[in-house]
Amino acid sequence: MKTEPLATYVINLARAPERMKKSEAMLESLGLGFTRIEANDGSSIPSNVRVNSAPYAGRDLLSGELGCFLSHRAAAEAFLASEAQLGLVLEDDAADTDQTRAVLSALEDARARFTIWDVMNLGKSASRWRTPVRQASYDGPGQLCHAHYFPVTTTALLWSRGGARGFLMMSQEIRLPVDVQLQDWVRKTDRGLAFEAAVFEPRGESSLIHQKAGKTTRSSSARTSQYRMLRLKRQLGTHLSAARHRWLRSKTQ
Protein backbone atom coordinates (compact mmCIF):
# COMPACT_ATOMS: atom_id res chain seq x y z
CA MET A 1 0.00 0.00 0.00
CA LYS A 2 1.37 3.39 -1.01
CA THR A 3 1.77 5.86 1.84
CA GLU A 4 0.24 9.26 1.18
CA PRO A 5 2.88 12.01 1.35
CA LEU A 6 0.64 14.83 2.61
CA ALA A 7 -2.54 15.15 4.66
CA THR A 8 -4.20 18.55 5.06
CA TYR A 9 -6.29 19.75 8.01
CA VAL A 10 -8.34 22.92 8.48
CA ILE A 11 -9.20 24.16 11.99
CA ASN A 12 -12.68 25.64 11.94
CA LEU A 13 -15.43 26.52 14.42
CA ALA A 14 -18.94 25.24 13.75
CA ARG A 15 -20.22 28.82 13.89
CA ALA A 16 -17.89 29.91 11.07
CA PRO A 17 -19.24 28.15 7.93
CA GLU A 18 -18.29 31.05 5.63
CA ARG A 19 -14.65 30.73 6.62
CA MET A 20 -14.82 27.02 5.88
CA LYS A 21 -16.24 27.72 2.43
CA LYS A 22 -13.33 30.07 1.66
CA SER A 23 -10.81 27.49 2.86
CA GLU A 24 -12.51 24.75 0.85
CA ALA A 25 -12.44 26.85 -2.33
CA MET A 26 -8.76 27.68 -1.83
CA LEU A 27 -7.74 24.07 -1.25
CA GLU A 28 -9.81 22.88 -4.20
CA SER A 29 -7.97 25.35 -6.43
CA LEU A 30 -4.69 23.92 -5.11
CA GLY A 31 -5.83 20.36 -5.75
CA LEU A 32 -5.74 19.39 -2.08
CA GLY A 33 -8.21 17.27 -0.20
CA PHE A 34 -8.58 18.06 3.48
CA THR A 35 -10.05 17.05 6.81
CA ARG A 36 -11.93 19.62 8.87
CA ILE A 37 -10.91 19.80 12.55
CA GLU A 38 -13.64 21.07 14.85
CA ALA A 39 -12.06 23.99 16.69
CA ASN A 40 -12.07 23.97 20.48
CA ASP A 41 -13.24 27.19 22.16
CA GLY A 42 -11.34 26.45 25.35
CA SER A 43 -14.40 25.65 27.43
CA SER A 44 -13.29 22.05 28.07
CA ILE A 45 -9.77 20.78 28.75
CA PRO A 46 -8.92 17.08 28.11
CA SER A 47 -7.89 15.11 31.16
CA ASN A 48 -4.42 14.41 29.71
CA VAL A 49 -3.62 18.13 29.40
CA ARG A 50 -2.58 20.37 32.29
CA VAL A 51 -2.73 24.17 32.20
CA ASN A 52 -0.01 25.90 34.20
CA SER A 53 0.59 29.33 32.71
CA ALA A 54 1.21 31.60 35.71
CA PRO A 55 4.91 30.67 36.27
CA TYR A 56 5.69 31.02 32.55
CA ALA A 57 3.36 33.69 31.16
CA GLY A 58 2.78 35.65 34.35
CA ARG A 59 -0.97 35.51 33.77
CA ASP A 60 -3.87 33.15 33.13
CA LEU A 61 -4.41 32.25 29.49
CA LEU A 62 -7.59 33.36 27.77
CA SER A 63 -10.16 30.71 26.93
CA GLY A 64 -9.53 31.53 23.27
CA GLU A 65 -5.79 30.95 23.68
CA LEU A 66 -6.51 27.59 25.29
CA GLY A 67 -8.96 26.76 22.52
CA CYS A 68 -6.43 27.55 19.82
CA PHE A 69 -3.81 25.39 21.54
CA LEU A 70 -6.21 22.46 21.96
CA SER A 71 -7.34 22.76 18.34
CA HIS A 72 -3.76 22.43 17.12
CA ARG A 73 -3.27 19.43 19.39
CA ALA A 74 -6.37 17.83 17.83
CA ALA A 75 -4.99 18.46 14.34
CA ALA A 76 -1.63 16.89 15.26
CA GLU A 77 -3.44 13.86 16.70
CA ALA A 78 -5.48 13.48 13.50
CA PHE A 79 -2.32 13.65 11.39
CA LEU A 80 -0.59 10.97 13.47
CA ALA A 81 -3.67 8.75 13.14
CA SER A 82 -3.28 8.91 9.35
CA GLU A 83 -0.70 7.19 7.14
CA ALA A 84 0.64 10.49 5.75
CA GLN A 85 4.27 11.48 6.18
CA LEU A 86 3.59 15.24 6.22
CA GLY A 87 0.74 17.05 7.95
CA LEU A 88 -0.36 20.50 6.75
CA VAL A 89 -2.44 22.29 9.41
CA LEU A 90 -4.22 25.47 8.37
CA GLU A 91 -6.32 27.84 10.41
CA ASP A 92 -9.49 28.83 8.57
CA ASP A 93 -8.27 32.35 7.80
CA ALA A 94 -5.25 31.10 5.82
CA ALA A 95 -4.98 32.34 2.23
CA ASP A 96 -2.59 31.17 -0.47
CA THR A 97 0.21 33.33 -1.88
CA ASP A 98 2.16 33.50 -5.13
CA GLN A 99 4.46 30.69 -4.06
CA THR A 100 1.96 28.30 -2.44
CA ARG A 101 1.46 26.07 -5.45
CA ALA A 102 5.18 25.78 -6.25
CA VAL A 103 6.10 24.89 -2.67
CA LEU A 104 3.36 22.31 -2.19
CA SER A 105 4.05 20.62 -5.51
CA ALA A 106 7.73 20.27 -4.58
CA LEU A 107 7.26 18.92 -1.07
CA GLU A 108 7.05 15.23 -1.99
CA ASP A 109 10.18 15.33 -4.16
CA ALA A 110 12.18 17.46 -1.70
CA ARG A 111 11.18 15.66 1.49
CA ALA A 112 14.03 13.15 1.29
CA ARG A 113 16.55 15.99 1.02
CA PHE A 114 15.34 17.91 4.06
CA THR A 115 17.63 18.14 7.01
CA ILE A 116 16.36 16.78 10.33
CA TRP A 117 13.33 18.91 11.22
CA ASP A 118 10.13 18.89 13.25
CA VAL A 119 7.91 21.71 12.02
CA MET A 120 7.85 24.15 9.13
CA ASN A 121 6.08 27.49 9.60
CA LEU A 122 4.42 28.33 6.28
CA GLY A 123 2.40 31.26 7.61
CA LYS A 124 5.17 33.81 8.15
CA SER A 125 8.57 34.49 6.65
CA ALA A 126 11.76 33.52 8.46
CA SER A 127 13.40 36.37 10.38
CA ARG A 128 16.97 37.55 9.89
CA TRP A 129 18.06 34.83 12.34
CA ARG A 130 18.07 32.14 9.65
CA THR A 131 20.37 29.85 7.71
CA PRO A 132 19.47 28.56 4.21
CA VAL A 133 18.74 24.83 3.92
CA ARG A 134 21.13 23.94 1.16
CA GLN A 135 19.63 20.50 0.49
CA ALA A 136 16.26 21.84 -0.64
CA SER A 137 15.40 24.29 -3.40
CA TYR A 138 12.11 25.41 -4.94
CA ASP A 139 10.99 27.32 -7.99
CA GLY A 140 9.21 29.78 -5.71
CA PRO A 141 10.48 33.21 -4.66
CA GLY A 142 11.76 32.24 -1.21
CA GLN A 143 14.57 30.01 0.06
CA LEU A 144 13.79 27.39 2.69
CA CYS A 145 15.70 28.22 5.89
CA HIS A 146 16.49 26.95 9.34
CA ALA A 147 14.33 29.38 11.32
CA HIS A 148 16.45 29.90 14.43
CA TYR A 149 13.99 32.58 15.59
CA PHE A 150 10.85 30.58 14.80
CA PRO A 151 7.96 32.79 13.61
CA VAL A 152 5.21 33.46 16.15
CA THR A 153 2.08 32.46 14.25
CA THR A 154 0.12 29.27 13.65
CA THR A 155 -1.75 30.26 10.48
CA ALA A 156 -0.10 27.43 8.54
CA LEU A 157 2.15 24.70 9.95
CA LEU A 158 3.69 21.69 8.24
CA TRP A 159 4.53 18.79 10.55
CA SER A 160 6.80 15.81 10.21
CA ARG A 161 5.53 12.79 12.08
CA GLY A 162 8.31 13.03 14.65
CA GLY A 163 7.61 16.74 15.10
CA ALA A 164 3.89 16.17 15.68
CA ARG A 165 4.67 13.53 18.29
CA GLY A 166 7.12 15.87 20.01
CA PHE A 167 4.58 18.70 19.96
CA LEU A 168 1.95 16.54 21.67
CA MET A 169 4.44 15.45 24.31
CA MET A 170 5.72 18.94 25.10
CA SER A 171 2.19 20.38 25.24
CA GLN A 172 0.81 17.96 27.79
CA GLU A 173 1.35 20.98 30.03
CA ILE A 174 0.11 24.20 28.44
CA ARG A 175 2.25 27.08 29.66
CA LEU A 176 1.96 29.76 26.97
CA PRO A 177 -0.15 30.58 23.91
CA VAL A 178 0.45 27.89 21.29
CA ASP A 179 2.58 30.01 18.95
CA VAL A 180 4.79 31.23 21.80
CA GLN A 181 5.20 27.80 23.39
CA LEU A 182 5.97 26.36 19.96
CA GLN A 183 8.65 29.01 19.41
CA ASP A 184 10.09 28.32 22.87
CA TRP A 185 10.29 24.60 22.08
CA VAL A 186 11.86 25.08 18.65
CA ARG A 187 14.50 27.52 19.94
CA LYS A 188 15.84 24.70 22.10
CA THR A 189 15.81 22.02 19.39
CA ASP A 190 16.66 24.20 16.35
CA ARG A 191 14.50 21.85 14.28
CA GLY A 192 12.15 24.47 12.85
CA LEU A 193 12.06 25.64 9.23
CA ALA A 194 10.47 28.58 7.41
CA PHE A 195 10.75 30.31 4.06
CA GLU A 196 12.12 33.73 3.25
CA ALA A 197 8.63 34.50 1.89
CA ALA A 198 5.40 33.26 3.50
CA VAL A 199 3.70 30.36 1.73
CA PHE A 200 0.29 31.19 3.25
CA GLU A 201 -0.90 34.43 4.80
CA PRO A 202 -3.86 35.36 7.03
CA ARG A 203 -6.87 36.93 5.29
CA GLY A 204 -7.01 39.57 8.04
CA GLU A 205 -10.18 38.27 9.69
CA SER A 206 -10.33 38.43 13.48
CA SER A 207 -10.08 35.18 15.42
CA LEU A 208 -13.45 33.68 16.27
CA ILE A 209 -11.93 31.22 18.73
CA HIS A 210 -11.14 34.28 20.86
CA GLN A 211 -14.78 35.34 20.76
CA LYS A 212 -17.83 34.07 22.61
CA ALA A 213 -21.41 34.97 21.80
CA GLY A 214 -20.22 37.75 19.52
CA LYS A 215 -18.05 39.39 22.19
CA THR A 216 -14.28 39.30 22.14
CA THR A 217 -12.83 37.84 25.33
CA ARG A 218 -10.15 39.84 27.07
CA SER A 219 -7.63 38.95 29.69
CA SER A 220 -8.60 39.78 33.25
CA SER A 221 -4.92 39.61 34.19
CA ALA A 222 -3.16 42.93 34.47
CA ARG A 223 0.12 43.31 32.63
CA THR A 224 2.04 43.00 35.87
CA SER A 225 5.75 43.44 36.40
CA GLN A 226 6.00 39.63 36.55
CA TYR A 227 4.35 39.35 33.13
CA ARG A 228 6.70 41.94 31.62
CA MET A 229 9.78 40.38 33.22
CA LEU A 230 8.93 36.88 32.01
CA ARG A 231 8.18 38.14 28.50
CA LEU A 232 11.47 40.04 28.32
CA LYS A 233 13.40 37.06 29.65
CA ARG A 234 11.78 34.77 27.08
CA GLN A 235 12.49 37.15 24.20
CA LEU A 236 16.11 37.58 25.26
CA GLY A 237 16.57 33.82 25.53
CA THR A 238 15.07 33.33 22.06
CA HIS A 239 17.41 35.91 20.51
CA LEU A 240 20.46 34.42 22.22
CA SER A 241 19.50 30.90 21.15
CA ALA A 242 18.89 32.08 17.59
CA ALA A 243 22.29 33.74 17.40
CA ARG A 244 24.00 30.66 18.80
CA HIS A 245 22.23 28.26 16.42
CA ARG A 246 22.97 30.44 13.40
CA TRP A 247 26.66 30.52 14.38
CA LEU A 248 26.72 26.74 14.79
CA ARG A 249 25.06 26.22 11.39
CA SER A 250 27.62 28.51 9.76
CA LYS A 251 30.36 26.20 11.03
CA THR A 252 28.81 23.05 9.58
CA GLN A 253 27.66 24.26 6.18
Side-chain angles (χ1 to χ4, degrees), residues 147-159:
H148 309 306
Y149 194 98
F150 196 69
V152 180
T153 181
T154 52
T155 299
L157 299 174
L158 184 73
W159 291 103

Side-chain angles (χ1 to χ4, degrees), residues 183-202:
Q183 183 193 60
D184 192 57
W185 177 54
V186 172
R187 81 174 174 91
K188 298 168 185 174
T189 66
D190 197 37
R191 289 163 63 113
L193 306 177
F195 284 85
E196 289 179 326
V199 180
F200 291 89
E201 60 187 10

Side-chain angles (χ1 to χ4, degrees), residues 57 59 61 65 69 174-182 234:
R59 63 176 178 87
L61 296 186
E65 289 172 325
F69 209 134
I174 294 178
R175 302 173 175 180
L176 298 159
V178 61
D179 51 354
V180 181
Q181 188 160 330
L182 183 58
R234 190 167 57 248

Side-chain angles (χ1 to χ4, degrees), residues 6-180:
L6 177 69
T8 303
Y9 303 89
V10 179
I11 296 172
N12 170 254
L13 281 166
R15 65 175 184 268
E18 291 302 317
R19 291 187 179 215
M20 192 66 249
K21 288 180 181 178
K22 292 177 183 178
S23 295
E24 185 173 3
M26 175 191 68
L27 292 170
E28 183 178 355
S29 72
L30 294 171
L32 292 177
F34 69 92
T35 299
R36 176 181 173 273
I37 300 295
E38 176 74 35
N40 189 313
D41 64 5
S43 59
S44 60
I45 308 297
S47 59
N48 65 330
V49 176
R50 179 183 176 218
V51 180
N52 183 31
S53 64
Y56 303 95
R59 63 176 178 87
D60 294 333
L61 296 186
L62 304 176
S63 59
E65 289 172 325
L66 291 173
C68 187
F69 209 134
L70 294 169
S71 299
H72 277 277
R73 279 183 55 90
E77 289 169 345
F79 163 49
L80 290 175
S82 76
E83 297 295 327
Q85 294 303 300
L86 300 172
L88 175 61
V89 178
L90 302 174
E91 295 178 350
D92 64 6
D93 66 338
D96 56 343
T97 66
D98 291 340
Q99 78 159 353
T100 304
R101 192 178 300 275
V103 169
L104 294 180
S105 64
L107 280 175
E108 182 176 3
D109 293 335
R111 180 166 54 88
R113 301 197 302 273
F114 287 167
T115 187
I116 297 174
W117 66 289
D118 287 330
V119 59
M120 193 181 298
N121 197 315
L122 302 182
K124 195 172 182 180
S125 59
S127 75
R128 64 188 180 90
W129 296 109
R130 65 182 185 235
T131 305
V133 176
R134 303 190 189 282
Q135 302 99 315
S137 61
Y138 294 90
D139 295 330
Q143 172 69 46
L144 180 64
C145 300
H146 299 280
H148 309 306
Y149 194 98
F150 196 69
V152 180
T153 181
T154 52
T155 299
L157 299 174
L158 184 73
W159 291 103
S160 69
R161 294 191 69 85
R165 284 191 291 267
F167 170 67
L168 291 176
M169 290 181 61
M170 74 86 167
S171 62
Q172 288 178 352
E173 181 176 81
I174 294 178
R175 302 173 175 180
L176 298 159
V178 61
D179 51 354
V180 181

